[in-house]
Amino acid sequence: MIKTKPVHINKWLLPFSWLYGLVVYIRNKFFDLGILKHEEFDVPVICIGNITVGGTGKTPHTEYLISILQKKYRVGVLSRGYKRKSSGFVLATSQSTSNDLGDESLQIKRKFPQTIVAVDGNRRRGIRRMLALDDAPEIILLDDAFQHRYVKPSYTIILSDFNRPVYEDSLLPAGRLREPASALKNANMIVITKCTDDLQPIDFRIISHDINAFPYQELYFTTFAYKGLYPVFDGSGDKLPLDSLEDKHVLLVTGIASPKMLIKKLSEYTDRIDTISYPDHYSFKNKDIKHITNKFNNIPSDNKIILVTEKDATRLLFREDISDDIKNSLYYLPIEVAFMDKEDNFKEKIYKHVRENSRNRNIYKK
């Protein structure tokens, strides 16, 4: 049986968590009573969200949904564009940068160029603008919008990190919950993400018991798969297999919520790993590029590599202060979602929902 580390709770902050919880309760009650209004749309709107702060894998799961839906439908993705420097509604193009869209939305657009990607802090306005396009999406994926109740999605998927069970957590600021764990009842699906590869049947049963999903909900377990190393800059190198790291010294540079899972994976191939960690969605500055360059140059090896996440790569692409030597050594490691069970069931549930909720959307045309 796998045991996760106990969830750390700042108990001295619990009184503030109770106040926070009261505000969340009142806000949700206003929506339930119709005092605050939500809007529904005549296309399938699938929300991929969570009830915690910190990374639960929303972007890889959004990409997974795109990959299974784009074969049959025109897919749109709408997010707020966290940490972007633009404002209002922005529709992604092939010339967009992370300043325009934020790193996650740019990553999706680069990986799925045929997908209609947009950002807008006002999700209702964003959906209306997307549906008014000549090539309007037939499905909209709302990235990280569970708390944005001004839009009522047709389907909701909540992600929960295996390493920090929501049923052991507390509300902000004592814990990391943005909503009480009871908010899971509002999901059509619950996905336990970042699971370890060695989960046993008893672990699935224990987690399922603790989550205590309702009969109308589906529960799934996913992990991350790593497929290889890709050069950050076009023309600076070839794709490398993961086992090529066995004879390399790695400088791992991350600006994500938690690099622990990534470090554990890399440790399977090499024990020569140096790390530089920045906060999630970090915007690299000139001094950071100099620090990375100096640390890399001081590694006493001729066979070395700088490795970043795919999300971090989008923020490095357009920098002009990276030398050619560093560009040629800079690779990113993309991640893909891998289901631990019932993947076919997951796909069929999504397909069924989309088939049953696809309607006439001409009313949104200008």
Side-chain angles (χ1 to χ4, degrees), residues 129-179:
R129 294 282 297 271
M130 293 178 77
L131 293 178
L133 296 170
D134 290 337
D135 59 345
E138 298 166 308
I139 304 162
I140 291 180
L141 305 179
L142 282 181
D143 182 22
D144 193 17
F146 181 67
Q147 284 73 32
H148 192 94
R149 292 194 58 183
Y150 289 101
V151 171
K152 185 176 182 180
S154 60
Y155 206 78
T156 299
I157 303 171
I158 292 183
L159 310 180
S160 176
D161 188 342
F162 166 79
N163 301 287
R164 191 177 177 96
V166 295
Y167 44 80
E168 295 180 8
D169 214 338
S170 293
L171 286 168
L172 292 166
R176 294 186 186 174
L177 293 182
R178 296 194 281 185
E179 303 254 356

Short mmCIF file of all heavy atoms in Angstrom, two decimals, residues 129-179:
data_model
loop_
_atom_site.label_atom_id
_atom_site.label_comp_id
_atom_site.label_asym_id
_atom_site.label_seq_id
_atom_site.Cartn_x
_atom_site.Cartn_y
_atom_site.Cartn_z
N ARG A 129 -17.45 35.75 -27.93
CA ARG A 129 -16.56 36.18 -29.01
C ARG A 129 -16.09 34.98 -29.84
O ARG A 129 -15.98 35.06 -31.07
CB ARG A 129 -15.35 36.93 -28.44
CG ARG A 129 -15.69 38.26 -27.77
CD ARG A 129 -15.93 39.36 -28.78
NE ARG A 129 -14.76 39.66 -29.59
CZ ARG A 129 -13.82 40.56 -29.25
NH1 ARG A 129 -13.93 41.23 -28.09
NH2 ARG A 129 -12.80 40.79 -30.04
N MET A 130 -15.81 33.87 -29.19
CA MET A 130 -15.37 32.68 -29.91
C MET A 130 -16.49 32.12 -30.78
O MET A 130 -16.27 31.71 -31.92
CB MET A 130 -14.88 31.62 -28.93
CG MET A 130 -13.61 32.00 -28.19
SD MET A 130 -13.09 30.75 -26.99
CE MET A 130 -12.34 29.53 -28.07
N LEU A 131 -17.71 32.13 -30.26
CA LEU A 131 -18.84 31.58 -31.01
C LEU A 131 -19.29 32.50 -32.14
O LEU A 131 -20.05 32.09 -33.02
CB LEU A 131 -20.01 31.30 -30.06
CG LEU A 131 -19.79 30.19 -29.04
CD1 LEU A 131 -20.99 30.04 -28.12
CD2 LEU A 131 -19.48 28.87 -29.73
N ALA A 132 -18.83 33.74 -32.14
CA ALA A 132 -19.15 34.67 -33.22
C ALA A 132 -18.14 34.59 -34.36
O ALA A 132 -18.33 35.25 -35.39
CB ALA A 132 -19.20 36.10 -32.67
N LEU A 133 -17.10 33.79 -34.22
CA LEU A 133 -16.10 33.63 -35.28
C LEU A 133 -16.70 32.89 -36.46
O LEU A 133 -17.62 32.07 -36.30
CB LEU A 133 -14.88 32.86 -34.75
CG LEU A 133 -14.07 33.52 -33.63
CD1 LEU A 133 -13.06 32.52 -33.06
CD2 LEU A 133 -13.37 34.78 -34.14
N ASP A 134 -16.17 33.14 -37.64
CA ASP A 134 -16.65 32.43 -38.83
C ASP A 134 -16.41 30.93 -38.71
O ASP A 134 -17.21 30.13 -39.20
CB ASP A 134 -15.95 32.97 -40.08
CG ASP A 134 -16.41 34.39 -40.42
OD1 ASP A 134 -17.54 34.76 -40.00
OD2 ASP A 134 -15.65 35.12 -41.08
N ASP A 135 -15.30 30.56 -38.11
CA ASP A 135 -14.99 29.14 -37.90
C ASP A 135 -15.17 28.79 -36.41
O ASP A 135 -14.30 28.21 -35.78
CB ASP A 135 -13.58 28.80 -38.35
CG ASP A 135 -12.52 29.63 -37.61
OD1 ASP A 135 -12.91 30.64 -36.97
OD2 ASP A 135 -11.34 29.26 -37.64
N ALA A 136 -16.31 29.15 -35.87
CA ALA A 136 -16.57 29.01 -34.43
C ALA A 136 -16.37 27.57 -33.95
O ALA A 136 -16.64 26.62 -34.69
CB ALA A 136 -17.99 29.47 -34.11
N PRO A 137 -15.89 27.41 -32.75
CA PRO A 137 -15.70 26.05 -32.22
C PRO A 137 -17.02 25.33 -31.99
O PRO A 137 -18.05 25.95 -31.70
CB PRO A 137 -14.97 26.29 -30.89
CG PRO A 137 -15.30 27.70 -30.51
CD PRO A 137 -15.46 28.44 -31.80
N GLU A 138 -16.98 24.03 -32.15
CA GLU A 138 -18.15 23.18 -31.88
C GLU A 138 -18.16 22.69 -30.44
O GLU A 138 -19.17 22.23 -29.93
CB GLU A 138 -18.14 22.00 -32.84
CG GLU A 138 -18.26 22.42 -34.29
CD GLU A 138 -17.93 21.30 -35.26
OE1 GLU A 138 -16.86 20.68 -35.11
OE2 GLU A 138 -18.74 21.07 -36.17
N ILE A 139 -17.00 22.78 -29.79
CA ILE A 139 -16.82 22.41 -28.38
C ILE A 139 -15.89 23.45 -27.77
O ILE A 139 -14.92 23.85 -28.40
CB ILE A 139 -16.17 21.03 -28.21
CG1 ILE A 139 -16.97 19.95 -28.95
CG2 ILE A 139 -16.02 20.66 -26.74
CD1 ILE A 139 -16.15 18.70 -29.18
N ILE A 140 -16.18 23.83 -26.54
CA ILE A 140 -15.27 24.74 -25.83
C ILE A 140 -14.79 24.08 -24.55
O ILE A 140 -15.59 23.57 -23.75
CB ILE A 140 -15.96 26.08 -25.52
CG1 ILE A 140 -16.20 26.86 -26.81
CG2 ILE A 140 -15.12 26.92 -24.55
CD1 ILE A 140 -16.87 28.19 -26.64
N LEU A 141 -13.47 24.08 -24.39
CA LEU A 141 -12.85 23.59 -23.17
C LEU A 141 -12.48 24.80 -22.33
O LEU A 141 -11.74 25.68 -22.79
CB LEU A 141 -11.60 22.76 -23.48
CG LEU A 141 -11.80 21.57 -24.44
CD1 LEU A 141 -10.47 20.86 -24.67
CD2 LEU A 141 -12.84 20.59 -23.89
N LEU A 142 -12.99 24.85 -21.12
CA LEU A 142 -12.69 25.95 -20.19
C LEU A 142 -11.57 25.49 -19.26
O LEU A 142 -11.77 24.60 -18.43
CB LEU A 142 -13.92 26.32 -19.37
CG LEU A 142 -14.99 27.19 -20.02
CD1 LEU A 142 -16.11 27.46 -19.02
CD2 LEU A 142 -14.41 28.49 -20.53
N ASP A 143 -10.42 26.10 -19.40
CA ASP A 143 -9.26 25.73 -18.60
C ASP A 143 -9.28 26.48 -17.27
O ASP A 143 -9.29 27.72 -17.25
CB ASP A 143 -7.99 26.04 -19.38
CG ASP A 143 -6.73 25.63 -18.63
OD1 ASP A 143 -6.82 24.76 -17.75
OD2 ASP A 143 -5.66 26.17 -18.94
N ASP A 144 -9.30 25.74 -16.16
CA ASP A 144 -9.25 26.31 -14.81
C ASP A 144 -10.39 27.30 -14.58
O ASP A 144 -10.17 28.47 -14.28
CB ASP A 144 -7.90 27.00 -14.58
CG ASP A 144 -7.68 27.32 -13.09
OD1 ASP A 144 -8.39 26.73 -12.25
OD2 ASP A 144 -6.82 28.17 -12.79
N ALA A 145 -11.63 26.81 -14.70
CA ALA A 145 -12.78 27.71 -14.58
C ALA A 145 -13.82 27.19 -13.60
O ALA A 145 -14.96 27.64 -13.63
CB ALA A 145 -13.42 27.92 -15.95
N PHE A 146 -13.45 26.28 -12.72
CA PHE A 146 -14.45 25.73 -11.81
C PHE A 146 -15.02 26.79 -10.89
O PHE A 146 -16.20 26.77 -10.55
CB PHE A 146 -13.83 24.59 -10.98
CG PHE A 146 -14.81 23.94 -10.04
CD1 PHE A 146 -15.88 23.21 -10.52
CD2 PHE A 146 -14.67 24.08 -8.66
CE1 PHE A 146 -16.80 22.63 -9.65
CE2 PHE A 146 -15.58 23.50 -7.79
CZ PHE A 146 -16.64 22.77 -8.29
N GLN A 147 -14.17 27.74 -10.46
CA GLN A 147 -14.64 28.80 -9.56
C GLN A 147 -15.32 29.94 -10.33
O GLN A 147 -15.91 30.82 -9.70
CB GLN A 147 -13.48 29.36 -8.73
CG GLN A 147 -13.03 28.46 -7.60
CD GLN A 147 -12.26 27.24 -8.06
OE1 GLN A 147 -11.55 27.28 -9.06
NE2 GLN A 147 -12.41 26.13 -7.36
N HIS A 148 -15.26 29.91 -11.65
CA HIS A 148 -15.84 30.99 -12.45
C HIS A 148 -17.29 30.64 -12.76
O HIS A 148 -17.62 30.18 -13.85
CB HIS A 148 -15.03 31.19 -13.73
CG HIS A 148 -15.37 32.45 -14.46
ND1 HIS A 148 -14.68 33.63 -14.28
CD2 HIS A 148 -16.35 32.74 -15.35
CE1 HIS A 148 -15.20 34.57 -15.04
NE2 HIS A 148 -16.22 34.06 -15.70
N ARG A 149 -18.17 30.89 -11.83
CA ARG A 149 -19.53 30.39 -11.94
C ARG A 149 -20.44 31.27 -12.81
O ARG A 149 -21.62 30.95 -12.96
CB ARG A 149 -20.13 30.22 -10.55
CG ARG A 149 -19.47 29.08 -9.76
CD ARG A 149 -20.27 28.70 -8.54
NE ARG A 149 -21.63 28.27 -8.90
CZ ARG A 149 -22.55 27.93 -8.00
NH1 ARG A 149 -22.26 27.99 -6.71
NH2 ARG A 149 -23.76 27.57 -8.38
N TYR A 150 -19.90 32.33 -13.37
CA TYR A 150 -20.72 33.13 -14.28
C TYR A 150 -21.02 32.38 -15.58
O TYR A 150 -21.92 32.73 -16.32
CB TYR A 150 -20.04 34.46 -14.59
CG TYR A 150 -20.04 35.40 -13.40
CD1 TYR A 150 -18.90 35.56 -12.61
CD2 TYR A 150 -21.19 36.10 -13.05
CE1 TYR A 150 -18.90 36.40 -11.51
CE2 TYR A 150 -21.20 36.95 -11.95
CZ TYR A 150 -20.06 37.09 -11.19
OH TYR A 150 -20.07 37.92 -10.08
N VAL A 151 -20.23 31.33 -15.85
CA VAL A 151 -20.53 30.41 -16.95
C VAL A 151 -20.92 29.07 -16.34
O VAL A 151 -20.24 28.56 -15.46
CB VAL A 151 -19.30 30.22 -17.88
CG1 VAL A 151 -19.56 29.08 -18.87
CG2 VAL A 151 -18.99 31.51 -18.61
N LYS A 152 -22.05 28.53 -16.82
CA LYS A 152 -22.46 27.21 -16.36
C LYS A 152 -22.03 26.19 -17.41
O LYS A 152 -22.60 26.12 -18.50
CB LYS A 152 -23.96 27.14 -16.16
CG LYS A 152 -24.42 25.80 -15.56
CD LYS A 152 -25.90 25.79 -15.27
CE LYS A 152 -26.32 24.47 -14.63
NZ LYS A 152 -27.77 24.42 -14.34
N PRO A 153 -21.01 25.39 -17.10
CA PRO A 153 -20.55 24.41 -18.09
C PRO A 153 -21.56 23.28 -18.26
O PRO A 153 -22.38 23.03 -17.37
CB PRO A 153 -19.24 23.90 -17.48
CG PRO A 153 -19.38 24.11 -16.02
CD PRO A 153 -20.23 25.34 -15.85
N SER A 154 -21.49 22.64 -19.39
CA SER A 154 -22.35 21.49 -19.61
C SER A 154 -21.77 20.23 -18.98
O SER A 154 -22.48 19.25 -18.76
CB SER A 154 -22.56 21.26 -21.11
OG SER A 154 -21.32 21.02 -21.76
N TYR A 155 -20.47 20.28 -18.67
CA TYR A 155 -19.80 19.12 -18.08
C TYR A 155 -18.60 19.61 -17.29
O TYR A 155 -17.91 20.55 -17.72
CB TYR A 155 -19.33 18.17 -19.19
CG TYR A 155 -19.19 16.72 -18.77
CD1 TYR A 155 -20.32 15.91 -18.65
CD2 TYR A 155 -17.95 16.16 -18.53
CE1 TYR A 155 -20.20 14.58 -18.29
CE2 TYR A 155 -17.82 14.84 -18.17
CZ TYR A 155 -18.95 14.04 -18.05
OH TYR A 155 -18.84 12.72 -17.69
N THR A 156 -18.35 19.01 -16.14
CA THR A 156 -17.27 19.47 -15.26
C THR A 156 -16.36 18.32 -14.86
O THR A 156 -16.83 17.28 -14.39
CB THR A 156 -17.83 20.14 -13.99
OG1 THR A 156 -18.61 21.27 -14.36
CG2 THR A 156 -16.70 20.59 -13.07
N ILE A 157 -15.07 18.53 -15.07
CA ILE A 157 -14.04 17.57 -14.65
C ILE A 157 -13.19 18.25 -13.60
O ILE A 157 -12.61 19.31 -13.85
CB ILE A 157 -13.17 17.15 -15.84
CG1 ILE A 157 -14.03 16.54 -16.95
CG2 ILE A 157 -12.09 16.17 -15.40
CD1 ILE A 157 -13.27 16.30 -18.25
N ILE A 158 -13.11 17.66 -12.42
CA ILE A 158 -12.27 18.20 -11.35
C ILE A 158 -11.05 17.29 -11.17
O ILE A 158 -11.17 16.07 -11.06
CB ILE A 158 -13.04 18.32 -10.02
CG1 ILE A 158 -14.11 19.41 -10.12
CG2 ILE A 158 -12.08 18.65 -8.87
CD1 ILE A 158 -14.86 19.66 -8.84
N LEU A 159 -9.88 17.92 -11.15
CA LEU A 159 -8.62 17.21 -10.96
C LEU A 159 -8.17 17.34 -9.52
O LEU A 159 -8.28 18.41 -8.92
CB LEU A 159 -7.55 17.77 -11.89
CG LEU A 159 -7.92 17.91 -13.37
CD1 LEU A 159 -6.73 18.47 -14.15
CD2 LEU A 159 -8.37 16.58 -13.95
N SER A 160 -7.64 16.26 -8.98
CA SER A 160 -7.14 16.25 -7.59
C SER A 160 -5.78 15.57 -7.56
O SER A 160 -5.63 14.46 -8.08
CB SER A 160 -8.14 15.52 -6.68
OG SER A 160 -7.64 15.42 -5.36
N ASP A 161 -4.80 16.22 -6.97
CA ASP A 161 -3.43 15.70 -6.91
C ASP A 161 -3.35 14.52 -5.94
O ASP A 161 -3.70 14.64 -4.76
CB ASP A 161 -2.50 16.83 -6.46
CG ASP A 161 -1.03 16.46 -6.54
OD1 ASP A 161 -0.69 15.26 -6.63
OD2 ASP A 161 -0.20 17.38 -6.51
N PHE A 162 -2.87 13.39 -6.45
CA PHE A 162 -2.69 12.19 -5.62
C PHE A 162 -1.82 12.49 -4.40
O PHE A 162 -2.04 11.94 -3.31
CB PHE A 162 -2.05 11.09 -6.47
CG PHE A 162 -1.49 9.94 -5.68
CD1 PHE A 162 -2.33 8.95 -5.20
CD2 PHE A 162 -0.13 9.85 -5.41
CE1 PHE A 162 -1.81 7.87 -4.46
CE2 PHE A 162 0.39 8.79 -4.69
CZ PHE A 162 -0.45 7.80 -4.21
N ASN A 163 -0.83 13.38 -4.56
CA ASN A 163 0.14 13.63 -3.50
C ASN A 163 -0.39 14.57 -2.41
O ASN A 163 0.25 14.72 -1.37
CB ASN A 163 1.41 14.22 -4.10
CG ASN A 163 2.03 13.30 -5.12
OD1 ASN A 163 2.62 12.29 -4.77
ND2 ASN A 163 1.88 13.63 -6.41
N ARG A 164 -1.56 15.18 -2.64
CA ARG A 164 -2.15 16.06 -1.63
C ARG A 164 -3.66 15.84 -1.66
O ARG A 164 -4.41 16.63 -2.26
CB ARG A 164 -1.80 17.53 -1.90
CG ARG A 164 -2.16 18.44 -0.72
CD ARG A 164 -1.75 19.88 -0.95
NE ARG A 164 -2.18 20.72 0.17
CZ ARG A 164 -1.42 21.06 1.20
NH1 ARG A 164 -0.18 20.64 1.27
NH2 ARG A 164 -1.90 21.83 2.17
N PRO A 165 -4.13 14.79 -1.00
CA PRO A 165 -5.56 14.45 -1.04
C PRO A 165 -6.43 15.58 -0.52
O PRO A 165 -6.16 16.16 0.54
CB PRO A 165 -5.65 13.22 -0.13
CG PRO A 165 -4.26 12.65 -0.09
CD PRO A 165 -3.34 13.83 -0.21
N VAL A 166 -7.47 15.92 -1.28
CA VAL A 166 -8.33 17.03 -0.88
C VAL A 166 -9.06 16.75 0.43
O VAL A 166 -9.36 17.69 1.18
CB VAL A 166 -9.36 17.36 -1.99
CG1 VAL A 166 -8.67 17.86 -3.24
CG2 VAL A 166 -10.23 16.15 -2.31
N TYR A 167 -9.32 15.49 0.72
CA TYR A 167 -10.05 15.15 1.95
C TYR A 167 -9.17 15.26 3.19
O TYR A 167 -9.65 15.13 4.31
CB TYR A 167 -10.67 13.75 1.85
CG TYR A 167 -9.76 12.70 1.25
CD1 TYR A 167 -8.78 12.08 2.00
CD2 TYR A 167 -9.90 12.34 -0.08
CE1 TYR A 167 -7.94 11.13 1.45
CE2 TYR A 167 -9.07 11.39 -0.65
CZ TYR A 167 -8.09 10.78 0.11
OH TYR A 167 -7.26 9.85 -0.45
N GLU A 168 -7.87 15.52 3.01
CA GLU A 168 -6.98 15.76 4.14
C GLU A 168 -6.58 17.24 4.23
O GLU A 168 -5.86 17.62 5.15
CB GLU A 168 -5.72 14.90 4.02
CG GLU A 168 -5.97 13.40 4.11
CD GLU A 168 -4.69 12.60 3.98
OE1 GLU A 168 -3.60 13.21 3.98
OE2 GLU A 168 -4.77 11.36 3.89
N ASP A 169 -7.04 18.03 3.29
CA ASP A 169 -6.60 19.43 3.17
C ASP A 169 -7.58 20.36 3.88
O ASP A 169 -8.65 19.96 4.33
CB ASP A 169 -6.49 19.81 1.70
CG ASP A 169 -5.35 20.80 1.44
OD1 ASP A 169 -4.96 21.49 2.40
OD2 ASP A 169 -4.88 20.87 0.29
N SER A 170 -7.20 21.63 3.98
CA SER A 170 -8.04 22.67 4.57
C SER A 170 -8.13 23.85 3.61
O SER A 170 -7.32 23.99 2.69
CB SER A 170 -7.46 23.15 5.91
OG SER A 170 -7.54 22.13 6.88
N LEU A 171 -9.11 24.70 3.86
CA LEU A 171 -9.29 25.88 3.04
C LEU A 171 -8.11 26.85 3.20
O LEU A 171 -7.41 26.84 4.22
CB LEU A 171 -10.59 26.59 3.41
CG LEU A 171 -11.90 25.92 2.96
CD1 LEU A 171 -13.08 26.59 3.65
CD2 LEU A 171 -12.04 26.00 1.45
N LEU A 172 -7.93 27.68 2.19
CA LEU A 172 -6.96 28.77 2.29
C LEU A 172 -7.27 29.67 3.49
O LEU A 172 -8.44 29.82 3.84
CB LEU A 172 -6.99 29.60 1.01
CG LEU A 172 -6.49 28.95 -0.28
CD1 LEU A 172 -6.91 29.79 -1.47
CD2 LEU A 172 -4.98 28.80 -0.25
N PRO A 173 -6.27 30.24 4.13
CA PRO A 173 -4.83 30.13 3.88
C PRO A 173 -4.14 29.02 4.68
O PRO A 173 -2.95 28.81 4.51
CB PRO A 173 -4.32 31.50 4.32
CG PRO A 173 -5.21 31.86 5.47
CD PRO A 173 -6.57 31.33 5.12
N ALA A 174 -4.89 28.31 5.55
CA ALA A 174 -4.27 27.25 6.34
C ALA A 174 -3.84 26.09 5.46
O ALA A 174 -2.79 25.48 5.66
CB ALA A 174 -5.24 26.77 7.42
N GLY A 175 -4.65 25.77 4.46
CA GLY A 175 -4.34 24.73 3.50
C GLY A 175 -4.30 25.30 2.10
O GLY A 175 -4.00 26.47 1.90
N ARG A 176 -4.63 24.46 1.13
CA ARG A 176 -4.58 24.91 -0.27
C ARG A 176 -5.92 24.82 -0.97
O ARG A 176 -5.99 25.01 -2.20
CB ARG A 176 -3.55 24.09 -1.04
CG ARG A 176 -2.12 24.31 -0.58
CD ARG A 176 -1.15 23.58 -1.47
NE ARG A 176 0.22 23.65 -0.98
CZ ARG A 176 1.25 23.00 -1.52
NH1 ARG A 176 1.05 22.24 -2.58
NH2 ARG A 176 2.46 23.11 -1.01
N LEU A 177 -6.99 24.55 -0.26
CA LEU A 177 -8.29 24.41 -0.90
C LEU A 177 -8.89 25.78 -1.23
O LEU A 177 -8.97 26.65 -0.36
CB LEU A 177 -9.26 23.64 -0.01
CG LEU A 177 -8.95 22.16 0.24
CD1 LEU A 177 -10.04 21.54 1.10
CD2 LEU A 177 -8.83 21.40 -1.07
N ARG A 178 -9.34 25.93 -2.46
CA ARG A 178 -10.07 27.13 -2.86
C ARG A 178 -11.56 26.97 -2.57
O ARG A 178 -12.29 27.96 -2.50
CB ARG A 178 -9.87 27.41 -4.35
CG ARG A 178 -8.44 27.72 -4.71
CD ARG A 178 -8.35 28.30 -6.10
NE ARG A 178 -8.44 27.26 -7.14
CZ ARG A 178 -8.30 27.51 -8.43
NH1 ARG A 178 -8.06 28.73 -8.86
NH2 ARG A 178 -8.38 26.55 -9.32
N GLU A 179 -12.00 25.72 -2.47
CA GLU A 179 -13.38 25.37 -2.14
C GLU A 179 -13.32 24.22 -1.15
O GLU A 179 -12.34 23.47 -1.12
CB GLU A 179 -14.15 24.92 -3.39
CG GLU A 179 -14.17 25.90 -4.52
CD GLU A 179 -15.54 26.55 -4.67
OE1 GLU A 179 -16.47 26.18 -3.94
OE2 GLU A 179 -15.65 27.44 -5.53
#
